[in-house]
Amino acid sequence: MSKILKRTVCTAITALNESDIKQPDAIITGTGMGCMENSEKFLIDLSRFGEQCLKPTLFMQSTHNTISSLIAIILKCHGYNNTYSHKGISFESSLFDAWIQIKSGMIRNALVGAHDEVTPFMDLVMERTHPEYSLVSEASVSTIVTNTRSDRNLCEISDVRLLHRPEYSDLAALLNPEEDGIILLGLNGNSLNDEPYEKLVRTLSYNPHILQYKNIFGDNFSASALAFYAASKIMQRQEIPSLMLWNAEVAPDIDEIKSITILNQSDGTTWSLIRLKKV
């Protein structure tokens, strides 16, 4: 298996074990680029040998939905299986699918993941096509979303939204001081990337505590899944790491962290909102 598939299996099995769920009702994956390592190997062989003597394994393990399919094969899971590849909001799209299905009673739980890898060639391409990225990185995150409350729950997902070309005033209207006192943004120090977030902050009628995560995890199409992981851990531990503070040196004095809102934008056109609450 390629590196991304090994990471996928590792994080998926870990998430299932920690949640004590053996067989998820659904497997939903987000990935911006899919299995790039195998895709490159397959295309290189195709260029060298034409359509003769090509390795079928490279082709089968190069598609985006290979990730979800592999987990299903290992778990012998025959339930709902889907993959979203929507650039920087691939994870949010997967989470939104799972959240809607659980809310509607179609499934009880889902294994939701986001996985992206970087090869040397892809690193070069990303630098040329995404100048707003400060540091191209990799990500592999798996989580269990369920409708059952237990002592294993890290937090509650109270809202998930996807918005295409919203006005900043519309985004600001979704936030309020009572629920969204802590906001996690995809700031990375690059003005091309940070400008939309800074405009949004200036639009707000109040001053929330702003956290960042890309200064720690870097940039990739699945980076928002790492923000989701960090936010859920903050909710569980009730502690904000100093490295995640933006324009602040001391963590805010909050008696209890009740809610964290994650705001992410992709290519300056599509925004996502994930609101997490303390269980």
Side-chain angles (χ1 to χ4, degrees):
M1 291 189 294
S2 62
K3 289 185 294 183
I4 190 173
L5 295 180
K6 291 177 182 177
R7 294 181 191 134
T8 297
V9 172
C10 180
T11 59
I13 296 300
T14 300
L16 288 167
N17 289 340
E18 291 186 358
S19 64
D20 199 27
I21 292 177
K22 306 301 181 184
Q23 192 72 264
D25 291 346
I27 299 173
I28 311 175
T29 298
T31 177
M33 299 297 291
C35 304
M36 281 302 300
E37 183 180 356
N38 283 341
S39 296
E40 288 180 9
K41 289 179 179 178
F42 176 75
L43 292 174
I44 289 172
D45 283 354
L46 184 64
S47 176
R48 288 177 177 174
F49 309 116
E51 297 182 6
Q52 305 296 321
C53 301
L54 296 177
K55 301 174 184 177
T57 304
L58 287 179
F59 174 75
M60 291 186 294
Q61 294 187 354
S62 66
T63 59
H64 288 62
N65 60 359
T66 296
I67 299 171
S68 280
S69 302
L70 178 63
I71 301 172
I73 291 171
I74 292 174
L75 298 178
K76 295 182 172 60
C77 178
H78 303 286
Y80 179 83
N81 192 300
N82 204 2
T83 298
Y84 289 89
S85 184
H86 299 330
K87 288 191 175 181
I89 61 162
S90 297
F91 170 71
E92 294 91 322
S93 301
S94 303
L95 186 65
F96 185 69
D97 187 354
W99 188 67
I100 287 293
Q101 291 202 56
I102 290 174
K103 283 286 187 180
S104 62
M106 298 178 66
I107 58 176
R108 296 164 299 172
N109 56 68
L111 173 63
V112 180
H115 313 273
D116 271 294
E117 64 180 348
V118 177
T119 65
F121 175 73
M122 181 183 167
D123 188 24
L124 178 62
V125 172
M126 293 296 283
E127 287 181 1
R128 294 179 177 178
T129 59
H130 287 76
E132 73 276 14
Y133 281 10
S134 59
L135 174 64
V136 179
S137 63
E138 299 179 311
S140 186
V141 178
S142 294
T143 184
I144 298 295
V145 183
T146 177
N147 63 358
T148 305
R149 287 185 177 270
S150 73
D151 56 0
R152 297 175 183 269
N153 297 146
L154 297 182
C155 59
E156 176 187 351
I157 303 172
S158 64
D159 198 4
V160 182
R161 297 181 185 238
L162 302 176
L163 305 99
H164 184 63
R165 298 187 184 279
E167 298 292 336
Y168 288 104
S169 57
D170 295 333
L171 287 170
L174 296 175
L175 305 173
N176 65 74
E178 295 182 3
E179 283 193 319
D180 306 307
I182 299 178
I183 300 178
L184 184 53
L185 301 177
L187 299 154
N188 66 8
N190 185 325
S191 59
L192 294 174
N193 172 81
D194 293 355
E195 184 179 3
Y197 296 114
E198 293 171 349
K199 284 184 178 179
L200 173 62
V201 172
R202 291 194 295 267
T203 306
L204 299 178
S205 59
Y206 68 104
N207 296 316
H209 302 295
I210 304 295
L211 304 181
Q212 58 182 335
Y213 63 93
K214 288 185 176 180
N215 61 317
I216 302 173
F217 301 118
D219 280 293
N220 60 76
F221 289 136
S222 294
S224 56
L226 292 166
F228 179 85
Y229 166 79
S232 63
K233 284 298 184 180
I234 290 174
M235 296 288 290
Q236 181 193 34
R237 298 174 181 176
Q238 290 292 297
E239 182 180 354
I240 298 175
S242 59
L243 284 174
M244 297 185 69
L245 300 175
W246 182 63
N247 287 347
E249 296 181 357
V250 180
D253 185 14
I254 302 174
D255 294 333
E256 184 181 22
I257 301 174
K258 297 181 179 180
S259 177
I260 297 178
T261 299
I262 305 168
L263 282 170
N264 176 48
Q265 60 91 12
S266 179
D267 291 340
T269 58
T270 306
W271 285 75
S272 67
L273 179 148
I274 303 172
R275 184 175 287 121
L276 304 180
K277 287 187 176 182
K278 187 176 183 294
V279 179

